[in-house]
Amino acid sequence: DPVVLAIRESNPQTPLELLRAIQVMTNIKRLDEGQKYLSTLIARKLNPQQMAALQRRFGSGFFFKLLRNPDYAPAGAEFAQAVMKASYEAARDPARLQQLIANLSNPDRDVRAKALVAIENGREPAVVALISALAKSVQGTDPAAAKQAATLRAALIYLKRSAEQPMLASMSSSD
């Protein structure tokens, strides 16, 4: 098969290359080849940050397919679960959320857009961090604080449904 040969010749080594090879082999129904790349990827013992980066790159759908594919069991399911867990935790990491909130004020439109999507993906914990940052920024009296507050308000408006419950909870809170 020319696709299998091309992938072999490319000699995938990085986690991204290995996962792409698994994806291609799965798509062309060469699960025997995909299994080899999966074994190599698992042997790399990726840290949670690397796993979360793979999930951001390939999306949850791919990992759900890997999880349910009996031809990759049990290693595929275990790896997919580890990736999804790492992604879940990364989306809620307080330090990462603070960086994303700071990125909402970045002059680069792409950086701001990616930050907003990542905050939305972080769901309620991310929205709570955004509300907390807004509360701090409205306490400032300088023009930079006012601009920051306006940016954060705009983000909350964009997030509508994701922000609704945390906003209601914060309004009923004494904090």
Side-chain angles (χ1 to χ4, degrees), residues 101-124:
I101 290 167
N103 286 351
L104 292 173
S105 299
N106 191 295
D108 185 329
R109 183 178 180 198
D110 288 339
V111 171
R112 291 191 312 268
K114 287 178 182 175
L116 192 56
V117 168
I119 289 170
E120 186 173 29
N121 290 340
R123 304 215 170 142
E124 190 171 314

Side-chain angles (χ1 to χ4, degrees), residues 61-74:
F62 174 75
F63 292 100
F64 281 118
K65 288 178 186 175
L66 189 61
L67 177 76
R68 292 188 317 258
N69 192 325
D71 293 309
Y72 289 126

Side-chain angles (χ1 to χ4, degrees), residues 2 5 7-8 10 13 27 35 53 78 81 101 104 119 134-135 141 146 148 153 155 158 162:
L5 293 175
I7 298 287
R8 283 183 189 163
S10 73
Q13 294 297 312
N27 289 342
Q35 188 68 256
E78 291 168 3
Q81 287 174 331
I101 290 167
L104 292 173
I119 289 170
L134 175 60
T141 56
Q148 172 80 7
R153 276 189 208 100
Y158 172 81
S162 300

Side-chain angles (χ1 to χ4, degrees), residues 82-105:
V83 167
M84 290 187 284
K85 180 181 181 211
S87 176
Y88 178 87
E89 290 172 358
R92 288 149 182 81
D93 176 55
R96 182 173 177 270
L97 292 174
Q98 291 307 312
Q99 182 59 53
L100 291 170
I101 290 167
N103 286 351
L104 292 173
S105 299

